Amino acid sequence: MKANTDRNEDRTALVTGAGRGIGRAVAMDLSRRGIFVYINYRSGRETAQKTLEAILAENGEARLLQFDQTDQDACEQAVKEIVRERNRIDILVNNAGIRDDRLLAMMKKESWQRVIDTNLTGFFHVTKPVVKYMLKNRTGRIINITSAAGQTGNPGQVNYSASKAGLIGATKALAREVGNRGITVNAVAPGFIETDMIQGMDREEIAKTIPAGRLGKPGEVAALVSFLCSPKAAYVNGQVIGVNGGMI
Ligand code: NDP
């Protein structure tokens, strides 16, 4: 007996970086809508296992899928595995990302490269094999988790802002490439969300800069992602939608 009512689905989703933070909330929200979810993680197996257990506890269906999105071969193998097991892939949420902040004048090339490789080239590695299947099936939803930093730029985050602005450009271009094949590609741009990623930041000071007067919750990002994955969002394509408490 399924726990939730919204479960008349047969779709399959891949959520990258779904072991914790926003990715976990997205995986759980999609699962509550009856979608089979592949929970990708890079090295955090324990946290990914917790996401899996939380989904199974709600009678959802999911499976762990380890790969590092900076490794193109690993991404291609992982997508093949999904298609072999499920014979389909309907939803891709490109959520995995990192930051490595420093003022540009002090930034080592390594910090620049690591962030671009993960946040932007990782998108390419995962999305290319997925979009091939979606093109064949003439249906699909791709959601890219960008950032307010990619919209306005953020001091100390030139690398991160560049990667996230790049993701916005990629979203818009891909939306135009595949929009006539039943596939939508949109970007969700969170402001400050309570996850491990903002560890070490001064939450109280940040909250003062946000009209809502508080940071966001992972579930508030996940709710928008789920809407964009739903049939109701079929005519939303190539958009960048903020979840930022009015910050931008
Ligand atoms: P977290 O730091 O909590 O989680 C990041 C996730 O990304 C982890 O699951 C991690 O996996 C995964 N990951 C990192 N590198 C790789 C890789 N090479 N391959 C596969 N997975 C990887 O971050 P958030 O949940 O906060 O962030 C999720 C997304 O939202 C990111 O893209 C981030 O840039 C974006 N965002 C976050 C904001 C915030 O305020 N929190 C604001 C705006 C955007 P593992 O656990 O295995 O290490």
Side-chain angles (χ1 to χ4, degrees):
M1 186 58 180
K2 304 277 189 186
N4 297 297
T5 51
D6 194 12
R7 283 190 183 276
N8 52 355
E9 285 256 13
D10 190 28
R11 292 194 293 169
T12 295
L14 166 60
V15 183
T16 64
R20 52 197 168 102
I22 293 170
R24 172 182 288 175
V26 167
M28 294 199 61
D29 205 302
L30 290 176
S31 164
R32 286 178 189 135
R33 285 155 210 272
I35 294 164
F36 188 105
V37 182
Y38 280 85
I39 301 163
N40 160 251
Y41 66 99
R42 177 192 45 182
S43 52
R45 189 177 171 92
E46 258 177 49
T47 50
Q49 182 68 30
K50 283 189 184 145
T51 305
L52 175 64
E53 283 165 12
I55 288 177
L56 298 179
E58 294 182 353
N59 293 322
E61 292 181 293
R63 179 172 161 350
L64 298 183
L65 191 59
Q66 192 283 332
F67 63 86
D68 182 330
Q69 68 174 19
T70 62
D71 178 342
Q72 186 171 16
D73 287 345
C75 293
E76 285 177 1
Q77 286 312 315
V79 173
K80 268 192 194 153
E81 202 173 322
I82 294 174
V83 174
R84 199 172 48 237
E85 282 184 0
R86 299 280 305 165
N87 204 25
R88 59 190 303 153
I89 178 159
D90 307 279
I91 296 166
L92 168 62
V93 183
N94 283 303
N95 163 78
I98 58 165
R99 68 181 179 95
D100 187 356
D101 304 349
R102 203 144 307 180
L103 295 173
L104 184 74
M106 326 284 191
M107 190 179 286
K108 295 208 168 93
K109 167 96 183 279
E110 195 185 57
S111 293
W112 168 268
Q113 203 60 55
R114 211 162 69 85
V115 171
I116 299 291
D117 286 351
T118 305
N119 298 0
L120 190 54
T121 312
F123 153 85
F124 172 77
H125 290 161
V126 181
T127 308
K128 183 182 167 186
V130 169
V131 92
K132 280 188 178 174
Y133 286 106
M134 288 182 171
L135 283 168
K136 263 193 230 157
N137 294 340
R138 293 185 166 263
T139 179
R141 292 279 196 271
I142 299 173
I143 319 293
N144 299 320
I145 308 297
T146 176
S147 168
Q151 295 175 294
T152 63
N154 213 16
Q157 292 196 317
V158 169
N159 51 356
Y160 182 80
S161 302
S163 71
K164 294 298 190 178
L167 207 46
I168 290 173
T171 299
K172 292 181 176 181
L174 186 59
R176 285 174 184 268
E177 281 186 16
V178 300
N180 64 351
R181 305 282 189 95
I183 302 167
T184 66
V185 189
N186 290 290
V188 168
F192 289 99
I193 308 297
E194 296 272 10
T195 70
D196 293 346
M197 186 168 271
I198 60 151
Q199 247 172 23
M201 293 185 185
D202 187 336
R203 288 172 162 70
E204 280 183 22
E205 279 308 306
I206 291 171
K208 287 180 195 160
T209 68
I210 303 171
R214 65 170 177 86
L215 280 69
K217 297 183 176 65
E220 292 174 313
V221 180
L224 175 60
V225 172
S226 282
F227 168 70
L228 290 171
C229 293
S230 76
K232 286 180 184 166
Y235 204 56
V236 182
N237 195 17
Q239 304 304 303
V240 183
I241 307 176
V243 185
N244 58 37
M247 201 174 73
I248 296 175

